[in-house]
């Protein structure tokens, strides 16, 4: 262990897909925009493990003009409640001003109650006898439907009404409003509208695409499982190689890792050959469920927040626009390198 040196750079290459912006994403976003006049509050969900790149500028561009609550979901999977987690949360809150920010785990009643109380206070402040209509939005698979179900169960003690799943795209259309807070003699209560996840049209940074894929924002068939598992191994080694010590000693070799994993977990093909792809998928799922480390993939510092904000501005717009911006950016960096400026 003492002699092990983890990789400090991951070479993703240029062959990775940079888009997962599907037809129902555009259709859903257009529909959300037409319904905005009926909405009092937009609840935008982002993934706690990727707080920077799970921000979709398309929501700010298309759903502006409404008060917004930002909820960072899956908090239980991105940290362990240590001081560094609290420091990160403080920076994120400062970064998102004037929008309100909460951090949530849909399985933890205390954090769900915080969201519920915010929603309740918003309804009271609005003071409308017709109640309040809210919309929940976010990137694919960030936990919108899980949060909606948790709010409804805690408030009304009713079973889940929104379908959820491990892969993105379970919610493909805007459904009917779901009551999450009971009305009184003076108001109709609070209704929340579930919406399909919307990906950004283009991701110019290859590592950002890997992070989003690792968190489940794109289907597992989009990026080869071995590539995703290799990126996860790279992150595990930077975090703490002992996380996987029950399977193999610290290594930078993904093939060696997956073959050892296959033998340890019985993922073998005929003749005892390791099933590398099945092992890669199993490894990824273990991390997603919090069984192979709980940590944030984004580096949250004041400088990084500013840099990522500028970069993610290029995530929005049309696919062609984003590609042109990316191409111009890469051309400029190439010229700077040739001139010895970088």
């Amino acid at each position: 262990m003492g002699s092990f040196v983890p990789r400090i750079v991951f070479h993703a290459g240029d062959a990775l897909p940079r888009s997962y912006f599907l037809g129902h994403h555009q259709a859903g976003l257009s529909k959300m925009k037409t319904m905005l006049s009926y909405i009092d509050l937009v609840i935008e969900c982002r993934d706690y493990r990727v707080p920077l790149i799970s921000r979709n500028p398309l929501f700010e561009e298309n759903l502006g003009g409404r008060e917004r609550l930002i909820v960072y979901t899956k908090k239980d999977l991105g940290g362990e409640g240590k001081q560094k987690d609290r420091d990160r949360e403080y920076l994120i809150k400062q970064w998102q001003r004037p929008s309100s920010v909460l951090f949530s785990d849909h399985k933890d009643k205390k954090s769900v109650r915080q969201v519920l109380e915010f929603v309740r206070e918003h309804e009271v402040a609005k003071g409308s006898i017709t109640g309040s209509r809210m919309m929940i939005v976010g990137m694919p698979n960030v936990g919108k439907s899980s949060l909606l179900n948790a709010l409804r169960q805690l408030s009304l003690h009713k079973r889940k009404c929104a379908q959820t799943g491990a892969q993105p795209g379970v919610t493909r259309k805007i459904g009917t409003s779901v009551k999450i807070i009971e009305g009184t003699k003076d108001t109709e209560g609070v209704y929340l509208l579930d919406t399909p996840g919307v990906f950004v049209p283009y991701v110019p940074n290859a590592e950002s695409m890997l992070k989003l894929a690792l968190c489940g924002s794109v289907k597992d068939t989009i990026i080869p499982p071995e590539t995703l598992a290799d990126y996860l191994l790279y992150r595990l080694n930077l975090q703490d190689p002992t996380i996987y010590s029950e399977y193999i000693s610290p290594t930078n070799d993904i093939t060696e890792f997956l073959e050892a994993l296959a033998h340890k977990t019985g993922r073998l093909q005929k003749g005892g050959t390791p099933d590398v792809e099945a092992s890669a998928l199993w490894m990824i799922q273990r991390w997603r469920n919090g069984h192979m480390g709980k940590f944030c993939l984004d580096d949250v510092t004041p400088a990084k927040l500013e840099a990522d904000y500028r970069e993610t501005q290029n995530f929005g717009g049309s696919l062609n626009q984003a590609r042109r911006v990316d191409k111009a950016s890469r051309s400029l960096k190439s010229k700077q390198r040739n001139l010895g400026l970088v």
Side-chain angles (χ1 to χ4, degrees), residues 125-302:
K126 182 174 178 287
S128 171
I129 60 172
T130 59
S132 186
R133 267 65 180 172
M134 303 179 182
M135 178 185 290
I136 189 165
V137 303
M139 293 270 274
N141 214 21
V142 292
K144 301 179 300 297
S145 299
S146 294
L147 179 59
L148 187 157
N149 288 331
L151 291 168
R152 179 177 167 85
Q153 200 283 326
L154 184 62
S155 177
L156 303 177
H157 308 291
K158 292 186 177 182
R159 297 174 66 181
K160 72 176 187 178
C161 58
Q163 190 177 358
T164 59
Q167 291 292 299
V170 174
T171 305
R172 298 178 68 89
K173 294 181 179 180
I174 296 177
T176 56
S177 296
V178 175
K179 181 181 284 188
I180 59 169
I181 294 180
E182 196 63 73
T184 65
K185 60 183 180 66
D186 299 318
T187 179
E188 290 184 9
V190 177
Y191 290 82
L192 188 58
L193 193 64
D194 195 15
T195 65
V198 177
F199 203 77
V200 292
Y202 186 68
V203 182
N205 183 298
E207 187 170 4
S208 293
M209 190 69 178
L210 285 169
K211 289 179 183 179
L212 290 169
L214 188 55
C215 290
S217 284
V218 303
K219 285 190 175 180
D220 289 337
T221 53
I222 301 299
I223 294 177
E226 294 93 332
T227 301
L228 210 49
D230 192 20
Y231 179 68
L232 175 55
L233 177 62
Y234 160 73
R235 297 306 301 244
L236 290 173
N237 284 335
L238 290 177
Q239 192 73 20
D240 179 9
T242 63
I243 290 173
Y244 57 81
S245 59
E246 62 181 294
Y247 308 111
I248 190 175
S249 57
T251 178
N252 288 315
D253 189 324
I254 188 58
T255 301
E256 182 182 46
F257 181 95
L258 292 176
E259 287 180 352
L261 193 65
H263 283 290
K264 285 280 188 178
T265 61
R267 285 170 170 76
L268 304 173
Q269 299 173 325
K270 288 183 179 180
T273 305
D275 191 333
V276 174
E277 182 174 332
S279 298
L281 290 169
W282 185 83
M283 173 192 183
I284 294 164
Q285 203 57 45
R286 290 286 289 176
W287 181 79
R288 286 176 182 167
N289 292 333
H291 301 308
M292 198 174 276
K294 299 179 179 182
F295 52 89
C296 183
L297 296 173
D298 281 340
D299 182 21
V300 181
T301 63

Side-chain angles (χ1 to χ4, degrees), residues 52 111 116 254:
L52 307 186
S111 68
L116 198 60
I254 188 58

Side-chain angles (χ1 to χ4, degrees), residues 41 49 56 59 68 86 90 101 107 144 152 185 211 234 243 245 277 288 341:
L41 176 71
R49 298 166 296 180
N56 190 339
F59 294 129
R68 186 171 53 142
R86 291 189 286 272
Y90 173 79
V101 172
K107 298 183 291 294
K144 301 179 300 297
R152 179 177 167 85
K185 60 183 180 66
K211 289 179 183 179
Y234 160 73
I243 290 173
S245 59
E277 182 174 332
R288 286 176 182 167
L341 299 177

Side-chain angles (χ1 to χ4, degrees), residues 15-122:
L16 281 178
R18 301 295 182 84
S19 179
Y20 190 65
F21 191 66
L22 306 178
H24 71 271
H25 294 176
Q26 180 61 64
L29 187 63
S30 298
K31 182 70 172 177
M32 292 175 213
K33 194 172 182 179
T34 65
M35 303 179 74
L36 202 58
S37 60
Y38 306 101
I39 299 300
D40 308 312
L41 176 71
V42 173
I43 301 176
E44 182 185 343
C45 292
R46 299 177 185 173
D47 194 316
Y48 188 95
R49 298 166 296 180
V50 280
L52 307 186
I53 61 171
S54 59
R55 163 183 167 263
N56 190 339
L58 290 177
F59 294 129
E60 295 165 36
E61 180 184 327
N62 290 274
L63 306 179
R66 287 291 177 274
E67 185 177 347
R68 186 171 53 142
L69 167 65
I70 301 171
V71 180
Y72 289 87
T73 60
K74 307 183 184 184
K75 177 183 177 179
D76 56 313
L77 301 177
E80 297 176 323
K82 296 180 178 179
Q83 186 59 47
K84 64 178 182 179
D85 299 318
R86 291 189 286 272
D87 291 343
R88 183 191 312 114
E89 290 170 11
Y90 173 79
L91 281 175
I92 290 171
K93 283 186 174 181
Q94 298 303 307
W95 175 49
Q96 288 302 331
R97 286 182 174 179
S99 295
S100 299
V101 172
L102 292 173
F103 304 93
S104 178
D105 163 17
H106 76 270
K107 298 183 291 294
D108 176 49
K109 289 185 178 180
K110 182 179 179 181
S111 68
V112 174
R113 188 171 286 111
Q114 288 181 324
V115 180
L116 198 60
E117 286 307 310
F118 183 97
V119 168
R120 198 187 305 274
E121 289 173 9
H122 185 276

